[in-house]
Amino acid sequence: FIEERYNSHTAQLYIYNALWFELVLVLLAVNFIGNIQRYQLLKKEKWAILAFHCAFIIMIIGAGVTRYIGYEGTMYIGEKEWSDTLYVKNTGQASVSQIKKIKLPFKLYLSDFILERYAGSDNPSSYESKVRLVDPRNGLDKEYRIHMNHVLDYDGYRFFQSSYYSNEKGTVLSVNHDFYGTWISYLGYLLLGV
């Protein structure tokens, strides 16, 4: 309800990044661990319930790893330009934000940005970025397309098509770097589905 009434930045600041929310998650994990002992879920006939509890414990651990090790940022690339810079917003107390630049060990070149509109309208129907990824560490030079529901995964980074320049001559990519938190959480989801 906070995201609907205000915005996601406000929700991040006062809920998801707040100490009280982290304490709630820790208490939830402690409660799951306590219930494993209290209800003797280590017995063979209770393994399904044990897997359910362990799945949530693992997902909470994954969230903690994401919170303290992973980060999200934004990359801006104009057409026919290179970028190796990620802009990460560090939100501190009381709505104080600082932008931190992170230099990536590889570069992206925006070969082409394509914006399609609904017929008879100025509203975008889809947009995509054709990029060239160059990583001198391992000799990689490869073309990729980033568009809706089609991300670029490379070296622990995930690049999502998020927006574009107002003059339609560049792209804005959301970038997530959370290899360990993601896979720990996926392990929890897998266990939940078993």
Side-chain angles (χ1 to χ4, degrees):
F1 63 88
I2 289 180
E3 285 181 284
E4 289 178 19
R5 187 169 185 165
Y6 298 100
N7 56 37
S8 23
H9 175 71
T10 304
Q12 286 285 335
L13 183 65
Y14 292 108
I15 297 180
Y16 305 123
N17 292 342
L19 180 61
W20 70 265
F21 189 73
E22 291 179 21
L23 292 174
V24 167
L25 289 177
V26 168
L27 287 174
L28 185 60
V30 168
N31 189 27
F32 279 123
I33 292 167
N35 281 338
I36 289 170
Q37 183 178 2
R38 179 177 180 193
Y39 295 105
Q40 301 174 354
L41 299 182
L42 296 175
K43 292 181 179 178
K44 187 176 181 179
E45 62 271 8
K46 295 184 178 183
W47 278 3
I49 300 169
L50 174 65
F52 180 81
H53 282 68
C54 289
F56 277 98
I57 293 167
I58 291 169
M59 286 187 281
I60 291 169
I61 291 169
V65 169
T66 294
R67 172 80 170 98
Y68 288 103
I69 296 175
Y71 54 88
E72 292 179 352
T74 306
M75 178 180 270
Y76 303 90
I77 316 172
E79 272 189 324
K80 311 300 182 207
E81 294 178 3
W82 291 93
S83 180
D84 62 356
T85 305
L86 182 61
Y87 297 91
V88 177
K89 185 185 286 188
N90 290 338
T91 306
Q93 298 295 335
S95 75
V96 176
S97 294
Q98 298 174 340
I99 303 294
K100 181 169 93 172
K101 289 183 181 181
I102 296 177
K103 191 169 176 80
L104 301 178
F106 52 88
K107 293 181 180 183
L108 290 179
Y109 177 80
L110 181 59
S111 306
D112 194 16
F113 177 75
I114 301 166
L115 175 66
E116 295 178 1
R117 299 185 185 281
Y118 290 108
S121 168
D122 284 337
N123 295 331
S125 62
S126 71
Y127 44 95
E128 73 175 74
S129 299
K130 292 184 178 180
V131 298
R132 179 175 153 205
L133 189 149
V134 175
D135 188 346
R137 297 172 302 168
N138 56 21
L140 181 73
D141 188 340
K142 190 171 179 183
E143 300 276 337
Y144 293 94
R145 288 178 55 226
I146 304 171
H147 53 94
M148 183 68 80
N149 298 325
H150 188 86
V151 303
L152 166 59
D153 284 310
Y154 183 75
D155 198 30
Y157 293 88
R158 300 193 85 200
F159 296 86
F160 301 86
Q161 182 67 64
S162 116
S163 188
Y164 53 90
Y165 289 10
S166 58
N167 66 2
E168 301 175 12
K169 301 260 185 223
T171 190
V172 180
L173 302 174
S174 292
V175 185
N176 178 293
H177 187 263
D178 182 32
F179 178 81
Y180 297 108
T182 299
W183 284 103
I184 292 169
S185 298
Y186 285 172
L187 176 62
Y189 302 149
L190 179 68
L191 195 56
L192 190 62
V194 170

